[in-house]
């Protein structure tokens, strides 16, 4: 922990608190227009220059980008600076998560190719302006974010819960589509297609003409998702729709199963319940490393440190077959780009009286995008159980550097899961006009006769 950059001891004291916390002062918020980026990261680079200063992110078109279609790679001509394997991992251990170290030890062919760091994160000006306003108006009421809108809610976080809310409410566009495939990785190394679907997503929290008052009055989820399966044949026609609300106890989701030929409301679309969207392989709160309610855990902000995380992963989107990017235990390292970035480290410990299959977790959340790029989970016996990961890619048309492919490796069983591969598709994260709010309801699934 010697590389902890900030005053971890002070933050740790604050980490356990998560009730009735106020926003920062106007004097602190002013740092968003000086020493911090508009989204709250340290604007300066690190001491040895391996992390450069943020200069506005990547907002210019990428050669190879086709509007509404496939995306190019802004760094396609770069070569890895070095690779980390089981043989040399010891010299990089303080910049690797426990989960990545475990993968290197478990699978001799696994490696981490580290490239030059590019701070590509960007967002529209209106998102920057809302983030500045959120700094002094957003607050935590218990575990629930209140008062923020249209930007990162806590750009100057004081505790672990605020970092996790920044991840959940991070900028990733307003409305977009995902046409992707998902695979279960078996212990003997086979990739089994679980989902070939067409999905729509919408962040009602991020409408350019919205406001905190209008969003609160609407009662809408902050994130809405709808997915209809075209394959594999046994799952063709299945569908799921729903949304995640600031008060997670009010989350709703509906599923259509072809065998039952009716739409059913899911009783508990939360936490460690398996999600039908991933054929039950992944739990709801493992989506994109973390998507869930905060009320089952105490969240400790450990501090900030420099870590190798998957970043600027347009390289992964270039091959035109899934088999090219899949390997025996997940993604093929040849197509995965890792960079050195500063991350917030947050630990979750199960609260007394609560239950969860993973009573302890640790998350690593990028300071520029607030995306939690890595996560580790321990089981009830204290064994390191799962390591979760999420790629991101550069999308100047948003602009933004946003999450894409995600998944996990089960370190105990040797299985895994890869979600959202766009390689075989003609469209990769195309932006869309605002969907009608009813798109993401069970009534819409039933009314459209999904069969």
């Amino acid at each position: 922990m010697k590389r902890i950059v900030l005053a971890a001891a002070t933050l740790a004291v604050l980490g356990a608190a998560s009730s009735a916390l106020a926003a920062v002062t106007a004097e602190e918020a002013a740092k968003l227009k000086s020493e911090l980026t508009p989204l709250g990261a340290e604007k300066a680079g690190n001491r040895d220059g391996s992390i450069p200063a943020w200069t506005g992110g990547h907002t210019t078109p990428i050669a190879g980008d086709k509007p509404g279609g496939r995306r190019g790679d802004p760094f396609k001509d770069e070569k890895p600076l070095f690779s980390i394997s089981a043989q040399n991992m010891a010299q990089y251990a303080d910049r690797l998560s426990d989960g990545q170290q475990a993968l290197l030890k478990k699978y001799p062919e696994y490696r981490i190719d580290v490239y030059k760091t590019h701070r590509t994160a960007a967002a529209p000006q209106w998102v920057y302006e809302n983030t500045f306003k959120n700094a002094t108006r957003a607050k935590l009421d218990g575990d629930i974010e209140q008062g923020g809108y249209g930007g990162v809610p806590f750009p100057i976080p004081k505790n672990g819960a605020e970092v996790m809310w920044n991840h959940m409410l991070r900028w990733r566009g307003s409305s977009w589509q995902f046409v992707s495939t998902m695979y279960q990785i078996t212990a003997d190394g086979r990739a089994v297609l679980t989902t070939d679907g067409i999905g729509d997503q919408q962040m009602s929290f991020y409408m350019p003409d919205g406001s905190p008052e209008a969003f609160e009055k609407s009662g809408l989820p902050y994130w809405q998702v709808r997915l209809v399966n075209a394959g594999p044949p046994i799952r063709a026609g299945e569908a799921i729709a729903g949304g995640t609300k600031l008060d997670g106890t009010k989350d709703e989701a509906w599923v259509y199963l072809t065998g039952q030929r009716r739409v059913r409301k899911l009783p508990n679309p939360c936490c460690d319940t398996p999600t039908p969207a991933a054929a039950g392989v992944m739990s709801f709160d493992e989506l994109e490393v973390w998507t869930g309610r905060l009320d089952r855990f105490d969240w400790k902000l450990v501090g900030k440190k420099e870590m190798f995380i998957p970043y600027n992963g347009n390289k992964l989107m270039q091959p035109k077959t899934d088999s090219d990017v899949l390997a025996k235990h997940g993604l093929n390292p040849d197509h995965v780009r890792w960079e050195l970035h500063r991350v917030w480290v947050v630990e979750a410990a199960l609260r007394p009286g609560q239950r969860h299959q993973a009573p302890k977790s640790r998350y690593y959340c990028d300071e520029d995008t607030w995306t939690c790029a890595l996560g580790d989970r321990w089981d009830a016996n204290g064994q390191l159980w799962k390591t979760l990961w999420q790629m991101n890619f550069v999308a100047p048309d948003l602009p933004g550097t946003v999450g894409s492919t995600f998944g996990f490796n089960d370190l105990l069983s040797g299985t895994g899961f890869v979600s959202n591969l766009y390689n075989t598709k003609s469209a990769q994260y195309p932006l869309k006009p605002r969907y009608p709010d009813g798109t993401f309801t069970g009534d819409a699934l039933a009314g459209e006769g999904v069969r």
Side-chain angles (χ1 to χ4, degrees), residues 340-423:
L340 183 68
H341 285 265
R342 287 183 290 242
V343 300
W344 293 95
V345 183
V346 178
E347 291 184 352
L350 193 65
R351 288 180 181 171
Q354 297 289 340
R355 62 155 302 278
H356 194 284
Q357 289 185 319
K360 175 187 173 183
S361 300
R362 185 180 299 139
Y363 300 94
Y364 303 92
C365 308
D366 170 42
E367 67 163 348
D368 284 330
T369 63
W370 293 103
T371 300
C372 294
L374 298 174
D376 291 332
R377 288 189 148 182
W378 284 260
D379 68 8
N381 296 319
Q383 301 177 99
L384 181 57
W385 174 27
K386 287 183 177 178
T387 185
L388 303 114
W389 42 264
Q390 179 172 206
M391 311 291 140
N392 64 25
F393 69 95
V394 187
D397 45 334
L398 278 174
T401 297
V402 297
S404 57
T405 304
F406 61 91
F408 71 81
N409 288 87
D410 186 323
L411 297 163
L412 301 180
S413 70
T415 61
F417 186 68
V418 176
S419 183
N420 289 20
L421 283 179
Y422 303 119
N423 298 84

Side-chain angles (χ1 to χ4, degrees), residues 129-413:
E129 293 169 359
N130 276 328
T131 299
F132 182 73
K133 294 176 183 176
N134 288 346
T136 54
R137 70 185 178 188
K139 63 181 181 180
L140 279 181
D141 182 4
D143 298 297
I144 300 172
E145 188 276 344
Q146 288 188 342
Y149 183 79
V152 175
F154 304 109
I156 307 175
K158 301 298 184 183
N159 58 71
E162 291 184 350
V163 171
M164 300 311 289
W165 270 116
N166 288 347
H167 163 73
M168 291 187 286
L169 295 175
R170 66 195 182 277
W171 166 246
R172 43 189 143 161
S174 298
S175 305
W176 68 96
Q177 194 173 68
F178 66 110
V179 184
S180 70
T181 53
M182 307 179 190
Y183 291 88
Q184 180 180 9
I185 308 298
T186 64
D188 60 0
R190 291 178 296 118
V192 180
L193 179 69
T194 62
T195 303
D196 184 352
I198 301 173
D200 304 297
Q201 297 192 51
Q202 185 153 279
M203 290 290 290
S204 299
F205 186 82
Y206 273 105
M207 294 299 153
D209 57 351
S211 68
E213 295 78 16
F215 177 68
E216 181 179 1
K217 185 178 180 179
S218 74
L220 287 171
Y222 66 80
W223 183 33
Q224 296 165 295
V225 181
R226 169 192 163 98
L227 174 65
V228 179
N229 292 351
I234 195 172
R235 299 194 64 212
E238 289 183 11
I240 186 171
T244 304
K245 296 188 174 184
L246 297 178
D247 180 354
T249 63
K250 298 179 180 177
D251 288 353
E252 293 180 302
W254 299 265
V255 63
Y256 174 80
L257 299 175
T258 52
Q260 298 178 352
R261 300 185 65 81
R262 61 187 299 183
V263 174
R264 292 182 178 275
K265 186 174 184 178
L266 294 177
N268 185 30
C270 166
C271 311
D272 53 1
T273 301
T275 168
V281 177
M282 176 172 268
S283 67
F284 275 96
D285 62 9
E286 291 172 340
L287 296 171
E288 301 186 353
V289 174
W290 167 264
T291 300
R293 290 162 45 181
L294 300 189
D295 58 2
R296 293 197 181 189
F297 298 93
D298 289 321
W299 300 88
K300 175 184 176 182
L301 182 54
V302 178
K304 194 191 282 186
K305 65 181 300 188
E306 297 173 5
M307 296 274 292
F308 296 122
I309 58 176
Y311 217 100
N312 294 322
N314 298 58
K315 181 182 178 70
L316 183 70
M317 304 166 83
Q318 304 312 306
K320 294 186 177 179
T321 66
D322 292 346
S323 59
D324 282 345
V325 299
L326 288 169
K328 192 172 182 179
H329 303 293
L331 295 178
N332 184 339
D334 290 347
H335 300 291
V336 181
R337 181 187 178 100
W338 294 74
E339 296 182 2
L340 183 68
H341 285 265
R342 287 183 290 242
V343 300
W344 293 95
V345 183
V346 178
E347 291 184 352
L350 193 65
R351 288 180 181 171
Q354 297 289 340
R355 62 155 302 278
H356 194 284
Q357 289 185 319
K360 175 187 173 183
S361 300
R362 185 180 299 139
Y363 300 94
Y364 303 92
C365 308
D366 170 42
E367 67 163 348
D368 284 330
T369 63
W370 293 103
T371 300
C372 294
L374 298 174
D376 291 332
R377 288 189 148 182
W378 284 260
D379 68 8
N381 296 319
Q383 301 177 99
L384 181 57
W385 174 27
K386 287 183 177 178
T387 185
L388 303 114
W389 42 264
Q390 179 172 206
M391 311 291 140
N392 64 25
F393 69 95
V394 187
D397 45 334
L398 278 174
T401 297
V402 297
S404 57
T405 304
F406 61 91
F408 71 81
N409 288 87
D410 186 323
L411 297 163
L412 301 180
S413 70

Side-chain angles (χ1 to χ4, degrees), residues 27-45:
E27 289 73 21
E28 283 186 281
K31 295 179 181 177
L32 296 169
K33 296 187 175 181
S34 57
E35 63 192 83
L36 301 179
T37 73
L39 298 183
E42 294 175 60
K43 188 177 291 184

Side-chain angles (χ1 to χ4, degrees), residues 1-6 94-95 304-306:
M1 301 298 291
K2 61 183 179 181
R3 287 184 178 270
I4 295 291
V5 177
L6 296 184
D94 61 339
R95 292 181 170 181
K304 194 191 282 186
K305 65 181 300 188
E306 297 173 5

